Structures are given as structure tokens and as C-alpha cells.
């Protein structure tokens, strides 16, 4: 509506929850069904979001998939033992890492329960959770009840996240809904194999067993099995990092610029006609 008033093209960018969550609500769904077919261009960060937009009435020819980028200068394979020593972490234990808001819908409690299952078979494995959120106290209580040793380190500066990713053996993201989470791309760019849920744009990134394993959300038992398998499977961090098929942030920005330019040009042609 604003584009009509201003006489400029409208471009809608889809990130994940706007389609994966809000579009299932009656009011937002009606709004999306009205707006998406009228947009000059739609930018989706993953192919599943593109398909969902088409189901809501968008014209496929007007949709561009522009993947989120990753800062390869910061996130790339580095020495695991050096990172652990720098962070004051044990060097003789297998380490599972989760970097996420600590919330129920992020699967935080599922991960605690999965680690309780895993601890019975792999007492040499520790879990580190980087992040904060409303479910932090609940996670701490549950870990105490289940006698699971978990290091809750809270939110950390973004530039420090690469050190935590480098230090781990396996990165886990057990969310119930996601778009294409940047931290997943950053973990893979650091050469760390992942265990994540089969939701949103994650399957569009983790396309092979080389990169990781996908499980059903809210299933701690399956999550525990997948983590144990991942810890038992040797991998080459350089292969993981080079297999990741996403642009750097400059490449992502250039693709977005091209989409916006196409919107301006097509809008101008229609206005001239």
C-alpha cells in the first residue's frame, strides 16, 4: 500500500518465522496472501521459503533466493585445542556446543534431556550452552534433576562465537522452528559437523551426511542418538567448511542488490507502458 502511495516498487524479504510461524495464523496469512502476489519482487533466504511463498500466491518468476552470508574471515577452521585452552575448557573431553537463545521453542530443554540419555553411554561428553533466555532457570533445574553436567556460559560477544565453535566437536541446534540460522552457517564454516532439526531452511543447507545429521524436532531420544553418532564419526573440518555452499556477506549483498535492481527495472517498464 505504501508503494502505491509513493509510486515505488515494493520488495518483500522472507527470513523464516514470518512464513514458518506467522503464516499459520489466520490474520497474518490473509495479509500475506494479499501482499505477496502484489510485490514487485520477493527475496527468500532459502528454497523452502520460496516454495511456501508460491503456495501463498506469489509468482515464482518474481522470487529470488538470496542465501544469508557468512563472514569467512572470522569463521573458518582453526585449531581446536588452542581454542579450548584460550577459553579455559578441558582438552580431554568430547564437547557438544549449542549457541542459541535459551528458550523452549529453541529446543533447549530437549537438548538437556538428550544429554541425560547420552551421559549414560558417554560419560566423557560435556555440553556447553552459549546464550541466554527465559528458559535458563528451567534448564538449570532440569539439568540438576537429571544429574547432567552442563556449562551455561551465557551470551557472548559475536566475535567470540567463532572461538566456541572452534572448540567443540559437534554443534547442535535443536530448534522447533527456524529460518536459515546464521549460527548454523558459522558452525559449518568453522568446519564443525552439526546435528540439527529438520525444519525451515536447515535442510537446504545440510544437504548431505558430510555436513551433519537432521532429526525431528522435540524428540530428545532421537537427538541423543544423532549426537552420539556424530561424536563417533571422524570428519575433516576443511572438507566441512569447503562443502558449505553459501556466499560471504559481500556475495549475499550483491545478490540482494541484483534483486532490488530487477524490481526497479520491471516496475519502471510497467509504469512506462
Amino acid at each position: 500500500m505504501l508503494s502505491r502511495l509513493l509510486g515505488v516498487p515494493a520488495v518483500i524479504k522472507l527470513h523464516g518465522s514470518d512464513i514458518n510461524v506467522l503464516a499459520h495464523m489466520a490474520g497474518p496469512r490473509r495479509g500475506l496472501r494479499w501482499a505477496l502476489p502484489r510485490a514487485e519482487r520477493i527475496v527468500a533466504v532459502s528454497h523452502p521459503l520460496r516454495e511456501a511463498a508460491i503456495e501463498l500466491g506469489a509468482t515464482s518468476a518474481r522470487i529470488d533466493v538470496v542465501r544469508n552470508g557468512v563472514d569467512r574471515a572470522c569463521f573458518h577452521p582453526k585449531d581446536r585445542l588452542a581454542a579450548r585452552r584460550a577459553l579455559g575448557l578441558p582438552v580431554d573431553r568430547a564437547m557438544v556446543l549449542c549457541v542459541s537463545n535459551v528458550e523452549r521453542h529453541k529446543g533447549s530443554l530437549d537438548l538437556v534431556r538428550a544429554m541425560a540419555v547420552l551421559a549414560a553411554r558417554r560419560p566423557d561428553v560435556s555440553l556447553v550452552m552459549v546464550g541466554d533466555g527465559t528458559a535458563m532457570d528451567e534448564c538449570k533445574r532440569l539439568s540438576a534433576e537429571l544429574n547432567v553436567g552442563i556449562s551455561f556460559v551465557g551470551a557472548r560477544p559475536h566475535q567470540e562465537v567463532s572461538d566456541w565453535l572452534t572448540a567443540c566437536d559437534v554443534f547442535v541446534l535443536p530448534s522447533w522452528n527456524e529460518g536459515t540460522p546464521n549460527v548454523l552457517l558459522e558452525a559449518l564454516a568453522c568446519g564443525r559437523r552439526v546435528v540439527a532439526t529438520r525444519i525451515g531452511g536447515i535442510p537446504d543447507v545440510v544437504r548431505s551426511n558430510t555436513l551433519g545429521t537432521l532429526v525431528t524436532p522435540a524428540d530428545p531420544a532421537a537427538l541423543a542418538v544423532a549426537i552420539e553418532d556424530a561424536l563417533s564419526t571422524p570428519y575433516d573440518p576443511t572438507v566441512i567448511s569447503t562443502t558449505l555452499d553459501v556466499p560471504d556477506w559481500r556475495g549475499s549483498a550483491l545478490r540482494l542488490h541484483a534483486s532490488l535492481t530487477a524490481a526497479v527495472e520491471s516496475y519502471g517498464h510497467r509504469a512506462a507502458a
Side-chain angles (χ1 to χ4, degrees):
M1 293 174 70
L2 281 172
S3 75
R4 291 180 180 181
L5 290 171
L6 297 173
V8 296
V11 177
I12 298 176
K13 191 163 190 281
L14 308 176
H15 287 266
S17 296
D18 39 19
I19 295 295
N20 297 330
V21 178
L22 296 180
H24 294 283
M25 303 176 185
R29 189 173 186 85
R30 283 195 299 270
L32 287 163
R33 282 193 176 280
W34 183 89
L36 291 174
R38 291 169 170 79
E40 196 67 37
R41 210 82 188 167
I42 297 169
V43 178
V45 300
S46 69
H47 288 90
L49 286 178
R50 177 185 184 276
E51 297 306 311
I54 293 171
E55 290 178 5
L56 288 167
T59 303
S60 60
R62 293 188 181 184
I63 306 175
D64 296 315
V65 175
V66 179
R67 293 176 180 274
N68 288 341
V70 64
D71 183 358
R72 292 279 188 170
C74 181
F75 298 96
H76 57 89
K78 291 175 284 188
D79 185 78
R80 181 182 282 114
L81 293 181
R84 290 194 183 186
R85 291 188 181 104
L87 293 168
L89 297 169
V91 298
D92 58 348
R93 293 178 61 83
M95 174 181 162
V96 175
L97 176 71
C98 179
V99 180
S100 172
N101 291 329
V102 183
E103 306 285 352
R104 279 181 166 270
H105 69 272
K106 290 292 185 179
S108 302
L109 294 166
D110 298 332
L111 181 53
V112 174
R113 293 186 176 97
M115 291 304 298
V117 174
L118 181 60
R121 299 191 294 266
R122 290 289 304 268
D124 62 315
V125 178
S126 60
L127 170 64
V128 176
M129 296 182 71
V130 175
D132 205 346
T134 61
M136 177 66 82
D137 289 342
E138 193 173 1
C139 279
K140 289 181 177 179
R141 285 196 299 270
L142 182 62
S143 65
E145 290 171 8
L146 298 177
N147 195 29
V148 182
I150 301 175
S151 297
F152 297 94
V153 301
R156 307 304 305 161
H158 187 244
Q159 63 270 22
E160 191 182 299
V161 171
S162 66
D163 295 330
W164 290 97
L165 291 171
T166 297
C168 77
D169 294 286
V170 174
F171 176 78
V172 181
L173 195 67
S175 304
W176 296 352
N177 55 72
E178 287 282 356
T180 303
N182 286 344
V183 70
L184 182 79
L185 306 182
E186 291 164 351
L188 292 167
C190 285
R192 296 302 176 251
R193 201 162 183 272
V194 304
V195 174
T197 41
R198 194 179 292 101
I199 54 167
I202 292 176
D204 202 31
V205 175
V206 185
R207 299 183 181 184
S208 71
N209 291 334
T210 299
L211 296 179
T213 303
L214 301 182
V215 298
T216 302
D219 189 342
L223 187 61
V225 170
I227 294 171
E228 185 174 18
D229 287 347
L231 289 169
S232 304
T233 304
Y235 64 86
D236 184 335
T238 301
V239 171
I240 298 286
S241 184
T242 55
T243 301
L244 175 64
D245 181 25
V246 296
D248 60 13
W249 279 116
R250 174 172 173 76
S252 181
L254 289 172
R255 295 180 192 184
L256 177 58
H257 182 269
S259 183
L260 297 175
T261 300
V264 171
E265 291 176 349
S266 62
Y267 183 84
H269 291 325
R270 289 195 298 102

